[in-house]
């Protein structure tokens, strides 16, 4: 038995007189709707003042909006509208459902400063109605004399109106009249009347708060009047409500009403407001239990609602003792109390009670806004030596051409001149402002996180390739798991050993699997999804879908598949945001939030960088443009190896930067090669093809790196340093680097947003998989040139043993070349250490840049540069026997075969571009095989 539910049998609707972002996010409001028959929400300026001004819950959003240049009013409206929209969405099933009974509404009030301004109220009422853009919002308008014409007009416009601040039966009559006339105006204009709902909010406890002390004073004087006064104490509010209800019944009967009703009109129900008891002598439920009557609403504060749940006695009482109620109001004048005058005072006071907290709220927003505007983005220090003049000239030229304005206007001719290229560029520029859009989606994502935790999930696995998983990889390394977050793993390889490791490490039934694929057609994430879905099916049968979430573009085929498989949630990203530019969209932010990171703050920092880059008006220095111009000019002058130096915790930032830079710029034989994970060595080993970029933290000494960087700079190498305040600045840095990459691409005159060679490799792999499906295995076309100690060497060079093949292969090196290690192996510390050793030896002996990546991850990243960039790479591909292979459910091949196809497809692609390649097959034990190779490696150079 729950009185909150039982009260429904008396056709009384309970609404909640409160809103705040936490109750929207943490599921509390949803639970009240689903479990406790809550049927609506009212807000008012004082409620928002408490929610926003007295908490830090909205601070990140305020900072982001402030940085966008919004005024205090705009910030308030944006926050309130977002919350009301969110609440409206939670009530939408009720509103749309058959038993809606005119419920399912959320009220949003016009500014309290408009209390005596008819036109202002109409304008703002319409603005809020359109801004919230939900059929189940009610716009609250005060019942002042100036408010009445606004009510009529808004109703005539088809806006749902909650008339607030009604304190007397006389005024209530005028309110109902405004409503009826509004409906008549609308009918006369030939517009429909159905589903235009309105409530008249009659304020109760405040009446007793005002009148009781006056009565008590008279009572204290004694005599007949004293006795009468004593008998009226605590009776006036309820008596007013009862009389108003009788009037309601009268007004919404008879021919006038019948004519409107025939056109589908609903009555304007009475809503009891101010129903939290303020007098400790009275029962806490005085203004709830006594006002239960058919077709009425009571908006109840949280505490009162909870008391009603605990001990409420629902029963119709609104028409009890009607005569006595009339008597109360009739006899007041005998005591010299003029109710109308007194309630006028309540109206003035009511306006004040909203205006004062609202004023304080605006002051608090103002100070948070000012504070946000003082925040600066991390400065990039550029020590460019002999290149400084050329870079400065480029920056000046870009500024003269007003590049920043053109950039924000999406002028594609800043990059390429052909029409098709320009159209493609324009269609991928959604990333420019996606962070702003996501500021408004933080609450939605955080609500999802609460839902996932409430459902008992203990772990998250993000599965995808390239841009769809890079940001989560960076977050996992750069941050500790956040308070209240879930442990997170990322799967971005078809390597069966790694799939097994993840499967063994997570509690399957309690793990949430996120399948992230923009296109929804990439073979790897679909395979991961199929594999783990089959596992979950074994555990949970038809409920397997509960453990799956999709992030993909609208309209992708994957949306249909995920829907059919009953995925818990599908987040639709934005088709105009490309994969490697998607860190600040659902792809990065959903995993980040599940991992417990404050995504609102991260977005606020990103927006700050947007501002610095000119998103909200001209800037003297655009940090994204300046970095991009420097990288572009340096690359054109031969410094095309961007050597990234970072403290340990930021190691994986290199993966993200590699993809962004290599995949965006590595095409048409041009590009910048990101070199990540190469430890800094002696100055003498570096050629004149390097630019060094250090990304670290302010105030955190990193002497080993910074000393070496100083020496490099003194030796004439360009060095760029960016020092973040903390890891949350990654939001800003993602943005800076995205702009810089786009600008560097403009310097080269290429389209930064396509990846033709990655697509070609995907297509080649798909072709090979078709061969596997029809013939049962991959074609084995070549024989090794050498075979030694269980390791096979495949190359175009000749040699009779491993050392000779390696010698001949590396003998092809020219200054300015780079070594690229491609490991289609299970990632492990031992494998990584051997790869690092190989890099180091080559770097020290041949003085070339070295890169290393695990396959197939790098195919979706640096793979573009390998084939599309300049012909300066020496590629060593490592494969093994996939000793721990795994079957793929419903397919004729295994993960291992899939991975082999990817390696083979890419090798063929590299060779078709005449790249220098060496494939080393390590046999059944990759760790051992790598050691064998290192032992065979002769002195080079
Ligand atoms: O929306 C409404 C009425 O429509 C309510 O939020 C209404 O403003 C509140 O019930 C009152 O402001 C609360 O008044 P009180 O309990 O502070 O006297
Ligand atoms: O960087 C993107 C990868 O190629 C994956 O693409 P996707 O998100 O469409 O699956």
């Amino acid at each position: 038995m729950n009185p909150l539910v039982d009260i429904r049998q008396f056709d009384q609707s309970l609404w909640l007189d409160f809103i705040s972002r936490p109750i929207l996010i943490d599921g509390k409001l949803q639970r009240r709707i689903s479990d406790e028959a809550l049927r609506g929400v009212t807000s008012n300026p004082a409620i928002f003042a408490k929610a926003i001004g007295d908490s830090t819950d909205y601070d990140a959003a305020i900072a982001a909006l402030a940085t966008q240049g919004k005024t205090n009013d705009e910030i308030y409206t944006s926050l309130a509208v977002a919350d009301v929209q969110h609440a409206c969405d939670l009530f939408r099933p009720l509103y749309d459902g058959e038993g809606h009974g005119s419920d399912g509404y959320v009220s949003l009030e016009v500014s309290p400063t408009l209390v005596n301004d008819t036109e202002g109220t109409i304008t703002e009422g319409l603005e809020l109605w359109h801004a919230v853009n939900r059929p189940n919002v009610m716009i609250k308008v005060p019942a002042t004399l100036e408010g009445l014409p606004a009510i009529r007009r808004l109703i005539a416009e088809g806006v749902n109106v909650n008339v607030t601040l009604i304190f007397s039966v006389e005024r209530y009559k005028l309110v109902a009249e405004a409503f009826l006339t509004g409906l008549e105006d609308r009918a006369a204009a030939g517009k429909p009347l159905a589903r235009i709902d309105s409530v008249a909010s009659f304020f109760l406890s405040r009446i007793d708060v005002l009148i009781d002390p006056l009565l008590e004073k008279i009572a204290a004087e004694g005599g007949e009047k004293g006795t009468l006064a004593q008998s009226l104490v605590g009776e006036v509010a309820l008596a007013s409500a009862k009389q108003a209800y009788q009037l309601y019944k009268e007004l919404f009967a008879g021919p006038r009403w019948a004519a409107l009703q025939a056109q589908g009109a609903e009555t304007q129900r009475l809503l009891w407001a101010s129903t939290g008891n303020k007098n400790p002598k009275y029962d806490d439920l005085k203004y709830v239990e006594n006002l239960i009557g058919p077709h009425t609403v009571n908006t109840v504060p949280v505490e009162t609602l909870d008391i009603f749940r605990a001990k409420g006695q629902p029963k119709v009482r609104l028409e009890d003792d009607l005569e006595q109620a009339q008597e109360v109001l009739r006899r007041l004048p005998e005591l010299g109390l003029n109710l109308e005058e007194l309630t006028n005072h309540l109206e003035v006071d009511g306006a004040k009670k909203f205006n004062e907290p609202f004023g304080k709220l605006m002051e608090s927003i103002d100070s948070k806004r000012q504070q946000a505007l003082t925040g600066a983005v991390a400065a990039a220090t550029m020590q460019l030596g002999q290149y400084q003049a050329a870079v400065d000239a480029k920056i000046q030229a870009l500024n003269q051409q007003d590049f920043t304005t053109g950039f924000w206007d999406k002028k594609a001719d800043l990059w390429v001149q052909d029409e098709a290229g320009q159209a493609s560029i324009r269609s991928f520029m959604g990333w420019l402002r996606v962070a702003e859009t996501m500021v408004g989606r933080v609450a939605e994502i955080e609500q999802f996180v609460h839902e996932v935790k409430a459902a008992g999930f203990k772990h998250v696995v993000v599965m995808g390739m390239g841009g769809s998983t890079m940001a989560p990889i960076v977050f996992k390394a750069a941050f500790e798991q956040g308070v209240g977050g879930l442990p997170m793993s990322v799967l971005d390889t078809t390597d069966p050993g790694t799939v097994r490791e993840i499967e063994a490490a997570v509690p399957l039934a309690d793990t949430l699997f996120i399948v992230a694929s923009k296109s929804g057609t990439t073979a790897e994430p679909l395979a991961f999804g199929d594999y783990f879905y089959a596992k979950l099916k074994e555990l949970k049968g038809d409920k397997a879908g509960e453990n799956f979430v999709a992030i993909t573009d609208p309209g992708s085929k994957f949306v249909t598949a995920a829907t059919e498989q009953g995925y818990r949630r599908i987040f639709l990203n934005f088709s105009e945001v490309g994969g490697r530019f998607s860190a600040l969209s659902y792809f990065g932010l959903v995993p980040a939030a599940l991992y417990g990171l404050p995504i609102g703050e991260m977005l606020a920092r990103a927006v700050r960088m947007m501002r610095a880059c000119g998103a909200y008006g001209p800037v003297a220095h655009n940090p994204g443009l300046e970095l991009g111009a420097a990288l572009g000019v340096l690359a054109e002058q031969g410094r095309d190896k961007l050597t990234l130096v970072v403290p340990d915790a930021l190691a994986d930032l290199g993966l993200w930067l590699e993809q962004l830079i290599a995949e965006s710029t590595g095409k048409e034989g041009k590009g910048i090669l990101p070199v990540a994970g190469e430890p800094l060595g002696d100055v003498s080993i570096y050629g004149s093809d390097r630019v060094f970029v250090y990304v670290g933290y302010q105030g955190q000494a990193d002497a080993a790196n910074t000393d070496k960087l100083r020496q490099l700079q003194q030796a004439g190498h360009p060095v760029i340093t960016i020092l973040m305040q903390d890891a949350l600045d990654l939001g800003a840095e993602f943005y800076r680097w995205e702009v810089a990459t786009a600008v560097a691409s403009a310097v080269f005159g290429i389209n930064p947003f396509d990846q033709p060679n990655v697509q070609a490799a995907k297509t080649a792999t798909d072709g090979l998989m078709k061969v596997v499906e029809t013939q049962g295995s991959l074609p084995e076309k070549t024989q090794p040139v050498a075979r030694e100690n269980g390791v096979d060497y495949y190359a175009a060079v000749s040699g009779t043993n491993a050392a000779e093949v390696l010698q001949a292969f590396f003998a092809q090196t020219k200054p300015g070349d780079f070594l690229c290690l491609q490991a289609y192996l299970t990632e492990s510390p031992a494998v990584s250490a051997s790869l690092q050793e190989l890099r180091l030896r080559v770097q020290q002996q041949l003085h070339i840049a070295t890169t290393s990546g695990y396959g197939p991850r790098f195919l979706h990243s640096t793979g573009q540069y390998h084939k599309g960039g300049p012909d300066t790479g020496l590629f060593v591909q490592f494969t093994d026997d996939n000793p721990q292979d795994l079957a793929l459910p419903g397919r004729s091949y295994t993960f291992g075969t899939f991975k082999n196809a990817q390696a083979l497809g890419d090798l063929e692609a590299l060779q078709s571009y005449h790249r220098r390649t060496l494939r080393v097959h390590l046999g059944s034990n990759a760790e051992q095989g790598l050691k064998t190779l290192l032992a065979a490696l002769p002195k080079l150079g």
Side-chain angles (χ1 to χ4, degrees):
M1 291 283 280
N2 182 341
L4 294 169
V5 177
D6 296 345
I7 200 169
R8 284 298 302 145
Q9 62 188 293
F10 307 116
D11 194 13
Q12 166 91 53
S13 300
L14 292 185
W15 292 7
L16 179 67
D17 202 10
F18 183 65
I19 194 169
S20 76
R21 201 154 282 187
I23 68 163
L24 294 167
I25 290 172
D26 65 17
K28 280 203 187 90
L29 184 61
Q30 181 59 61
R31 276 196 294 283
R32 286 191 188 271
I33 298 170
S34 336
D35 306 346
E36 302 195 325
L38 187 73
R39 298 179 69 85
V41 156
T42 51
S43 69
N44 64 40
I47 287 173
F48 273 119
K50 184 165 183 304
I52 302 173
D54 297 354
S55 79
T56 54
D57 299 327
Y58 298 74
D59 287 6
I62 293 174
L65 293 164
T67 313
Q68 289 167 41
K70 305 266 192 250
T71 62
N72 295 336
D73 281 347
E74 287 167 338
I75 292 173
Y76 164 71
T77 305
S78 164
L79 300 176
V81 164
D83 281 4
V84 168
Q85 285 175 324
H86 196 153
C88 282
D89 294 344
L90 297 182
F91 278 106
R92 194 61 194 265
L94 170 62
Y95 173 84
D96 286 336
E98 280 195 355
H100 62 74
S102 288
D103 284 323
Y105 282 99
V106 181
S107 297
L108 174 61
E109 190 157 338
V110 295
S111 165
T113 58
L114 297 170
V115 66
N116 301 118
D117 178 350
T118 306
E119 283 311 311
T121 301
I122 295 169
T123 308
E124 189 168 307
L126 288 170
E127 277 170 9
L128 291 176
W129 170 253
H130 292 299
V132 175
N133 195 22
R134 302 288 192 276
N136 56 332
V137 63
M138 274 190 175
I139 302 302
K140 280 178 70 183
V141 174
T144 52
L145 293 177
E146 295 81 357
L148 296 173
I151 295 161
R152 173 176 176 175
R153 176 70 195 287
L154 290 170
I155 290 289
E157 292 290 335
V159 174
N160 305 311
V161 178
N162 172 346
V163 185
T164 187
L165 291 177
I166 306 176
F167 298 95
S168 71
V169 180
E170 288 70 24
R171 184 58 56 84
Y172 164 58
K173 195 169 181 182
L174 298 180
V175 166
E177 177 62 25
F179 169 69
L180 290 166
T181 330
L183 285 181
E184 285 161 350
D185 293 347
R186 190 167 169 81
K191 295 186 179 152
L193 304 188
R195 256 4 275 261
I196 295 170
D197 279 309
S198 180
V199 289
S201 294
F202 209 110
F203 278 49
L204 294 161
S205 71
R206 292 191 198 179
I207 298 179
D208 286 338
V209 167
L210 176 75
I211 296 185
D212 281 355
L214 304 177
L215 292 170
E216 277 160 359
K217 192 160 166 246
I218 301 169
E221 284 160 11
E224 231 176 84
K225 279 192 178 179
T227 314
L228 174 62
Q230 189 57 52
S231 70
L232 300 186
V233 174
E235 297 295 334
V236 180
L238 292 182
S240 303
K242 287 179 180 181
Q243 204 176 41
Y245 186 63
Q246 293 309 304
L247 186 55
Y248 162 82
K249 287 178 43 173
E250 239 173 70
L251 290 168
F252 293 98
R256 184 183 182 189
W257 174 243
L260 292 167
Q261 200 178 23
Q263 296 176 67
E266 300 281 351
T267 66
Q268 180 188 51
R269 287 181 299 168
L270 273 161
L271 174 147
W272 312 126
S274 180
T275 53
N277 174 36
K278 315 289 184 296
N279 188 337
K281 286 191 220 144
Y282 299 154
D283 190 284
D284 283 326
L285 297 176
K286 173 172 179 164
Y287 304 103
V288 182
E289 288 186 335
N290 293 308
L291 296 171
I292 300 174
H295 222 45
T296 56
V297 182
N298 195 328
T299 192
V300 187
V302 176
E303 308 71 33
T304 312
L305 206 59
D306 290 340
I307 297 173
F308 188 75
R309 186 209 291 112
K311 55 173 201 181
Q313 304 276 335
K315 177 173 172 299
V316 173
R317 297 187 182 90
L318 191 52
E319 299 196 273
D320 288 358
D321 307 322
L322 285 179
E323 269 172 33
Q324 191 197 324
Q326 272 170 5
E327 181 78 355
V328 169
L329 300 183
R330 205 173 46 78
R331 300 206 64 186
L332 273 181
E334 290 174 30
L335 300 172
L337 297 177
N338 180 333
L339 193 54
E340 202 173 338
E341 256 173 36
L342 289 167
T343 51
N344 278 344
H345 172 78
L346 280 177
E347 180 175 303
V348 175
D349 183 61
K352 210 163 102 194
K353 279 203 164 85
F354 285 155
N355 251 315
E356 277 173 2
F358 188 71
K360 284 211 183 81
L361 169 62
M362 286 321 219
E363 279 168 24
S364 137
I365 290 181
D366 189 53
S367 88
K368 290 176 184 175
R369 185 180 63 83
Q370 310 258 19
Q371 206 184 333
L373 289 176
T374 58
V377 301
T381 315
M382 303 215 210
Q383 296 165 294
L384 305 181
Q386 66 178 103
Y387 304 95
Q388 191 74 54
V391 170
D392 288 347
K394 187 67 178 184
I395 293 171
Q396 205 181 358
L398 289 170
N399 285 339
Q400 265 162 10
Q401 156 195 8
D402 205 1
F403 186 96
T404 301
T405 307
F407 174 85
W408 286 104
D409 288 345
K410 302 189 181 172
K411 291 221 166 102
D413 62 355
L414 295 173
W415 285 274
V416 297
Q417 303 316 315
D418 67 296
E419 195 123 319
Q422 291 184 0
S424 149
I425 286 176
R426 277 193 297 273
S427 68
F428 279 109
M429 292 191 80
W431 62 273
L432 257 56
R433 292 195 181 272
V434 74
E436 272 176 1
T437 310
M438 295 310 292
V439 168
R441 312 270 172 110
V442 169
E444 172 206 3
I445 297 177
E446 291 183 340
Q447 185 197 340
F448 173 72
V449 173
H450 275 276
E451 175 198 314
V452 163
K453 288 195 294 187
F457 286 100
K458 306 265 182 305
H459 201 105
V460 178
V461 178
V462 191
M463 311 190 293
M465 301 304 295
S468 300
T469 40
M470 281 305 178
I473 291 176
V474 178
F475 293 143
K476 190 170 151 59
F479 290 93
E480 298 284 331
Q481 181 185 318
V483 179
L486 295 173
M488 175 171 75
S489 314
V490 180
L491 175 62
D492 67 340
T493 175
T494 45
D495 174 67
T498 311
V499 177
R500 274 182 195 278
E501 272 170 16
I502 289 192
E503 186 179 338
V506 304
L508 273 186
D510 294 331
T511 294
L512 186 76
F513 292 91
I514 301 180
V515 183
S517 173
K518 173 182 168 58
S519 62
T521 54
T522 304
E524 296 95 323
L526 298 181
F528 306 149
D530 287 353
Y531 178 79
F532 283 105
Y533 193 85
K535 293 278 164 199
L536 262 295
K537 240 184 151 182
E538 284 166 21
L539 293 174
K540 297 178 73 171
D542 287 347
K543 294 200 162 156
E546 287 177 350
N547 288 49
F548 287 81
V549 170
I551 308 177
T552 189
D553 273 3
S556 88
K557 271 201 225 152
F558 181 40
V559 174
T560 319
T563 310
E564 280 167 11
Q565 291 188 311
Y567 272 35
R568 166 176 288 275
R569 181 72 174 258
I570 301 176
F571 286 101
L572 293 179
N573 213 57
F574 312 95
S575 27
E576 60 289 6
V577 177
R580 56 189 175 276
F581 289 82
S582 68
L584 297 169
S585 71
Y586 285 111
F587 282 105
L589 298 175
V590 172
L594 286 162
Y595 188 54
L597 305 186
I599 56 172
E601 177 61 25
M602 198 149 19
L603 283 169
R605 308 258 185 121
V607 173
R608 198 184 288 166
M609 183 60 83
M610 285 176 65
R611 183 185 186 84
C613 291
Y616 309 110
V619 283
H621 291 284
N622 171 344
L625 177 140
E626 293 182 0
L627 178 61
L631 297 178
V633 168
L634 288 164
E636 284 192 325
Q637 303 217 7
R639 298 267 178 184
D640 63 351
K641 313 285 186 317
L642 188 163
T643 309
L644 184 71
V645 187
V646 289
D648 284 349
L650 284 173
D652 285 344
L653 179 61
L655 289 174
W656 183 83
L657 277 175
E658 271 183 347
Q659 188 201 14
L660 178 72
I661 297 169
E663 203 173 17
S664 304
T665 68
K667 53 195 76 150
E668 298 179 29
K670 305 174 191 171
I672 298 169
L673 176 74
V675 179
E678 200 185 54
L680 278 183
D682 191 75
V683 173
S684 63
I685 63 172
Y686 294 105
S688 56
D689 57 348
R690 302 274 193 152
V691 45
F692 295 89
V693 177
Y694 181 77
V695 181
Y697 292 114
Q698 288 164 27
Q700 277 189 23
D702 185 1
N705 280 321
T706 40
D707 287 352
K708 280 193 181 141
L709 284 166
R710 195 173 318 110
Q711 292 163 20
L712 286 161
Q713 187 251 322
Q714 281 161 1
H717 291 283
V719 176
I720 297 172
T721 307
I722 297 173
L723 294 180
M724 299 188 290
Q725 197 184 308
D726 55 39
L728 285 169
D729 267 352
L730 281 170
E733 291 312 312
F734 285 149
Y735 200 79
R736 181 207 303 266
W737 283 95
E738 286 168 0
V739 176
T741 303
V743 172
S745 304
V747 173
F748 300 149
I750 54 166
N751 174 356
F753 309 123
D754 65 358
Q755 49 285 326
N757 302 83
V758 167
Q759 195 45 54
K762 285 188 188 185
T763 312
T765 305
D766 291 346
L768 283 169
M769 292 319 294
K770 292 238 154 59
V771 175
V772 173
E773 274 167 11
T774 51
Q775 296 175 13
S777 65
L778 281 168
E780 185 66 56
K781 290 190 200 144
T782 50
Q783 288 299 315
V785 269
R787 171 169 286 165
E788 194 175 284
N789 297 330
V791 177
D792 295 340
Y793 299 82
Y794 300 77
V797 293
S798 48
T800 56
N801 57 27
E804 281 179 21
V805 174
L806 290 166
Q807 184 73 265
F809 177 72
F810 283 109
Q812 305 172 91
T813 309
K814 301 185 301 300
D817 280 349
F818 69 99
L819 168 69
C820 173
L821 304 183
Q822 308 183 329
Y824 290 86
L825 307 173
T826 306
E827 188 168 346
S828 76
V831 167
S832 298
S834 292
L835 296 173
Q836 246 350 53
E837 188 183 336
L838 179 54
R839 286 177 80 175
L840 219 68
R841 279 162 70 174
V842 170
Q843 190 198 356
Q844 278 168 355
Q845 294 169 21
L846 295 177
H847 297 185
I848 59 169
T850 66
T851 65
S852 176
Y854 280 95
R857 175 194 285 154
F858 74 84
L859 287 181
H860 298 264
S861 159
T862 47
Q864 170 59 40
Y865 181 95
H866 299 161
K867 284 144 318 211
D871 183 11
T872 48
L874 287 102
F875 298 89
V876 181
Q877 184 188 88
F878 295 104
T879 53
D880 69 3
D881 292 344
N882 295 310
Q884 310 183 70
D885 209 356
L886 263 186
L888 261 163
R891 304 183 193 207
S892 60
Y893 53 85
T894 61
F895 268 113
T897 312
F898 185 12
K899 189 181 69 168
N900 290 346
Q902 295 179 295
L904 184 61
D906 194 45
L907 193 67
E908 285 177 0
L910 288 167
Q911 286 163 353
S912 76
Y913 288 97
H914 309 291
R915 300 299 194 243
R916 292 157 283 178
T917 63
L918 166 66
R919 176 182 164 219
V920 183
H921 186 73
L922 300 166
S924 59
N925 184 336
E927 289 178 10
Q928 183 51 47
L930 282 168
K931 290 207 173 89
T932 306
L933 173 135
L934 286 168
L937 185 70
K939 172 132 182 45
L940 305 169

